[in-house]
Amino acid sequence: MSRKSNKDTQVQKKGKSENLFKLAKTMMPGGVSSPVRAIKPYPFYTKSAKGAFVETEDGERLIDCVMGYGPLFLGHQPECIKTAIREQLENGWLYGTPSEHELELAKLIISDHPSIDMCRFVSSGSEATMAAIRLARGFTGKKNIVKVEGGFHGAHDGVLIKAGSGATTMGVPDSAGVIPEIAEHTLQIPYNDPQSLEALLSKNDDIAAFIVEPVMGNVGPILPKKDYLTEVRKITKEHDVLFICDEVICGYRVGIGGAQVKYNVVPDLTTLGKIVGGGLPIGVFGGRREIMEMVAPNGPVYQAGTFSGNPLSMTAGIAMIKEIHKEKHLYDALDKCTDFLKNSLPEEYQNSFVKLGSMFKLFFREAPPQNYIEAKQSDTAKFGKFWKGMMKEGVFLPPSQFETNFLSIAHGVDIVEKIASAYCSALQDC
Ligand SMILES: *Cc1c(COP(=O)(O)O)cnc(C)c1O
């Protein structure tokens, strides 16, 4: 039997992700289960993750600012969620019947969101927005929807039109396979421009809903201008159009009650996901009682799912939200962390560093973007160079100019200082 020297195992370890990816590409399109993960020339494979760190199959330990693209507000493996999942495992993880956990999570969500009287659990954010849009059409009897350019609401046909996230990076905002008859019922307006919504709703009276990420999170964070959300709420009400806040990213991220509480608006319907599942798959749509009563089996708008309300996601979500309530002060602490990051940057970059609480992004352009078109004017080549530089410094950022970076409460001050010095080094080289 040959014994491998330490050096050999190190070499073998070093190439492991590359080899896994080669094999993956033979079995899965692009080698991945979701496009943004297909980092060039090959993504690292994660072996484990704890707190604010991921450990790669190549033996590296990186500070993680991707955090599962948003859900992991408490970091990887927080004890409270781990315990909840472990306890639930002993009782089974899928029943095909109601379980009491659904009531507990619904109660937390409803009491944190004044706009939500009732909610339905699904298994992903995409499913939630798909159902919310169907519900809006069922409730209003109208056909079209309006979304914001670059707004991402998941990967289903009706919203894959000038969508953000992976679709933006790849420059294929319209997916093949979405038939024009569906796409033509999704109208687009720019973010932060209430007049364009007013103009559109004035000339088209067959619009069921306006769906928007109240804080855009899928072309990088773009913040609402002062009164933008209040104004679109007013306009939609005047035109009898439902206002859907897609808070799949900002729910519990920008504060308890999400952006709607922070900016003091009351949507008709809300979609949630990511954080509310405690890191397990989930989606939620909810809103005004008279609208939600239209959902099957109460009403004529059909919606169903095998894994909906599954007890593992429910218990993980309950543990997450309870912990957030206990540790409310950490919203302020995280906000200070991203302030610190911003202030640590070389001065010429500070203006285009956009942040809201634990969401942040440096845009490679002169000023913070106000909408999708402005975000798209960023220097993505420079971003690519910067991203690689950050990896060399041991910090894993989302591999796209158009994805938001996240801190979690596991990112203590010392880690944030490391991220700051990594930014400065990486920026020096690009
Ligand atoms: C992530 C996201 C979705 C889709 O959620 P999935 O769980 O990935 O299906 C929808 N809307 C917004 C705003 C999101 O950020």
Side-chain angles (χ1 to χ4, degrees):
M1 218 193 332
S2 72
R3 281 233 256 112
K4 282 189 189 132
S5 74
N6 261 348
K7 210 170 152 219
D8 283 345
T9 31
Q10 196 56 40
V11 168
Q12 198 188 27
K13 223 180 175 185
K14 266 207 121 162
K16 188 163 175 191
S17 289
E18 191 172 6
N19 287 331
L20 288 172
F21 191 56
K22 260 187 212 145
L23 183 60
K25 280 191 288 190
T26 67
M27 295 187 284
M28 302 185 285
V32 290
S33 300
S34 194
V36 75
R37 299 178 199 171
I39 297 169
K40 284 185 177 123
Y42 60 89
F44 69 80
Y45 277 65
T46 302
K47 188 172 183 187
S48 66
K50 177 106 186 148
F53 292 91
V54 289
E55 205 160 302
T56 76
E57 289 285 4
D58 311 306
E60 279 180 303
R61 189 165 179 264
L62 304 168
I63 295 174
D64 183 9
C65 293
V66 176
M67 300 317 286
Y69 289 95
L72 305 175
F73 188 64
L74 305 179
H76 294 281
Q77 297 193 43
E79 221 36 65
C80 59
I81 295 181
K82 213 168 169 178
T83 307
I85 293 174
R86 227 183 237 135
E87 280 171 11
Q88 185 54 40
L89 283 177
E90 295 305 314
N91 293 322
W93 46 86
L94 189 64
Y95 305 141
T97 74
S99 79
E100 195 173 350
H101 307 302
E102 293 162 78
L103 279 68
E104 197 177 349
L105 186 56
K107 202 168 159 189
L108 289 168
I109 288 172
I110 289 168
S111 82
D112 286 340
H113 298 82
S115 75
I116 302 182
D117 302 323
M118 303 180 94
C119 63
R120 164 70 53 95
F121 293 111
V122 295
S123 298
S124 71
S126 298
E127 221 187 320
T129 61
M130 187 172 71
I133 289 169
R134 182 184 303 141
L135 175 57
R137 287 179 166 138
F139 180 77
T140 60
K142 298 194 261 184
K143 217 184 244 172
N144 302 299
I145 59 160
V146 179
K147 71 178 274 293
V148 151
E149 288 167 358
F152 181 71
H153 306 291
H156 53 93
D157 288 8
V159 290
L160 270 184
I161 295 136
K162 281 205 183 164
S165 202
T168 298
T169 297
M170 293 163 50
V172 277
D174 295 313
S175 167
V178 175
I179 59 173
E181 289 82 351
I182 287 180
E184 76 192 21
H185 294 297
T186 302
L187 311 173
Q188 310 267 346
I189 54 165
Y191 185 64
N192 269 331
D193 180 2
Q195 287 76 26
S196 67
L197 181 65
E198 171 62 40
L200 181 57
L201 299 191
S202 299
K203 64 171 198 256
N204 188 328
D205 59 6
D206 200 11
I207 293 171
F210 171 52
I211 183 168
V212 65
E213 300 174 72
V215 174
M216 289 188 83
N218 287 282
V219 283
I222 302 182
L223 310 187
K225 280 189 195 159
K226 190 171 176 300
D227 298 332
Y228 172 66
L229 296 168
T230 321
E231 285 177 37
V232 295
R233 168 66 284 189
K234 190 163 155 265
I235 295 165
T236 45
K237 200 171 242 164
E238 282 163 4
H239 290 272
D240 255 330
V241 166
L242 296 188
F243 178 37
I244 307 176
C245 270
D246 182 359
E247 302 233 32
V248 171
I249 281 191
C250 23
Y252 291 96
R253 171 63 64 181
V254 304
I256 291 172
Q260 53 190 271
V261 165
K262 185 176 179 65
Y263 296 101
N264 198 19
V265 284
V266 182
D268 300 297
L269 290 172
T270 297
T271 50
L272 295 166
K274 297 195 170 122
I275 290 179
V276 296
L280 293 188
I282 199 167
V284 183
F285 64 101
R288 246 161 64 204
R289 184 173 304 276
E290 63 170 326
I291 307 173
M292 290 303 292
E293 294 277 17
M294 296 280 289
V295 178
N298 265 18
V301 177
Y302 195 68
Q303 195 288 319
T306 302
F307 297 107
S308 295
N310 80 80
L312 275 188
S313 295
M314 297 297 107
T315 45
I318 293 163
M320 171 75 91
I321 294 176
K322 283 188 169 163
E323 186 70 10
I324 288 176
H325 275 271
K326 242 198 284 176
E327 304 281 351
K328 277 202 269 286
H329 61 279
L330 288 168
Y331 282 111
D332 278 342
L334 284 166
D335 192 45
K336 292 210 175 78
C337 285
T338 47
D339 277 341
F340 172 80
L341 271 180
K342 179 174 182 159
N343 296 331
S344 314
L345 295 184
E347 209 162 328
E348 69 264 35
Y349 290 107
Q350 287 183 12
N351 190 35
S352 58
F353 183 92
V354 179
K355 56 145 282 181
L356 181 67
S358 55
M359 298 167 76
F360 65 103
K361 193 82 184 181
L362 174 61
F363 285 93
F364 287 95
R365 68 191 297 281
E366 297 275 300
Q370 301 291 328
N371 57 38
Y372 175 69
I373 294 187
E374 290 186 11
K376 291 289 283 178
Q377 289 157 353
S378 305
D379 185 342
T380 51
K382 194 162 175 184
F383 173 84
K385 222 170 148 200
F386 163 74
W387 184 86
K388 283 196 189 113
M390 289 298 279
M391 283 295 279
K392 268 199 208 121
E393 297 290 327
V395 180
F396 175 42
L397 298 179
S400 160
Q401 172 73 94
F402 308 111
E403 298 279 356
T404 296
N405 308 340
F406 298 104
L407 292 183
S408 75
I409 69 175
H411 292 73
V413 174
D414 51 329
I415 295 175
V416 175
E417 279 170 6
K418 280 193 188 129
I419 299 171
S421 68
Y423 262 86
C424 293
S425 309
L427 286 172
Q428 226 159 38
D429 297 335
C430 71

